[in-house]
Amino acid sequence: MASFNNLFSLTVSAIRSHGLFRTFKQILVIGIPKSGKLVGKDEFGNEYYENRNDPVFRGRWVLYSKWNVDASQVPAEWHHWLHSMTDDVPTAETVPKPFFARRHTENVTGSTGAFKTYSTVTPKIESWAPVAKSR
């Protein structure tokens, strides 16, 4: 009964904090409703939250902008912040990007955007095509 009360109070506080739609999305994606302070957004639309009252290493989380959740959608600077490697929120001033750095792209393996190999060599053996004689 205590876990049901805890889950109910978490759901109510999440609805107050984020609204009904975002709380429902959290339950579908994360599995549990969470409430916390919005810390920032990245260039892909992902939102990063923090709750200092949660246990250690569970107080920071991300709400992805896409429904297909993949950890490779998080840029490197926000990965550092999520895993408590730094307490500084990533901005242009706190994390300067070198001139040679490329824009972050997510891993597209297993999706429609994945690289597909194809052969440019003509086959050495042709498949047999049966020819039926007329009777």
Side-chain angles (χ1 to χ4, degrees):
M1 187 66 163
S3 63
F4 177 74
N5 289 337
N6 187 22
L7 184 63
F8 182 73
S9 64
L10 283 174
T11 305
V12 169
S13 65
I15 290 173
R16 285 182 186 160
S17 175
H18 303 296
L20 188 62
F21 177 73
R22 287 182 184 252
T23 303
F24 182 68
K25 184 179 177 182
Q26 272 187 355
I27 292 171
L28 288 177
V29 174
I30 300 174
I32 189 165
K34 292 184 138 203
S35 63
K37 185 180 100 175
L38 176 66
V39 176
K41 288 179 84 171
D42 63 7
E43 63 266 15
F44 303 110
N46 299 329
E47 297 177 344
Y48 299 90
Y49 291 91
E50 181 175 32
N51 186 353
R52 295 197 178 254
N53 297 331
D54 280 352
V56 178
F57 299 118
R58 291 185 179 230
R60 295 177 178 179
W61 68 93
V62 59
L63 283 182
Y64 296 97
S65 61
K66 298 180 181 178
W67 279 97
N68 57 341
V69 176
D70 186 17
S72 69
Q73 295 172 354
V74 177
E77 56 269 7
W78 281 103
H79 174 82
H80 281 239
W81 181 83
L82 275 175
H83 294 277
S84 302
M85 294 179 195
T86 181
D87 286 333
D88 298 332
V89 177
T91 61
E93 293 82 32
T94 58
V95 183
K97 288 201 173 198
F99 68 92
F100 54 84
R102 287 193 259 164
R103 187 173 184 268
H104 176 77
T105 57
E106 66 179 283
N107 185 2
V108 293
T109 302
S111 68
T112 57
F115 176 75
K116 307 277 190 298
T117 59
Y118 63 93
S119 178
T120 58
V121 180
T122 57
K124 295 179 181 178
I125 302 172
E126 294 183 19
S127 61
W128 175 68
V131 178
K133 293 182 180 179
S134 59
R135 295 182 186 190

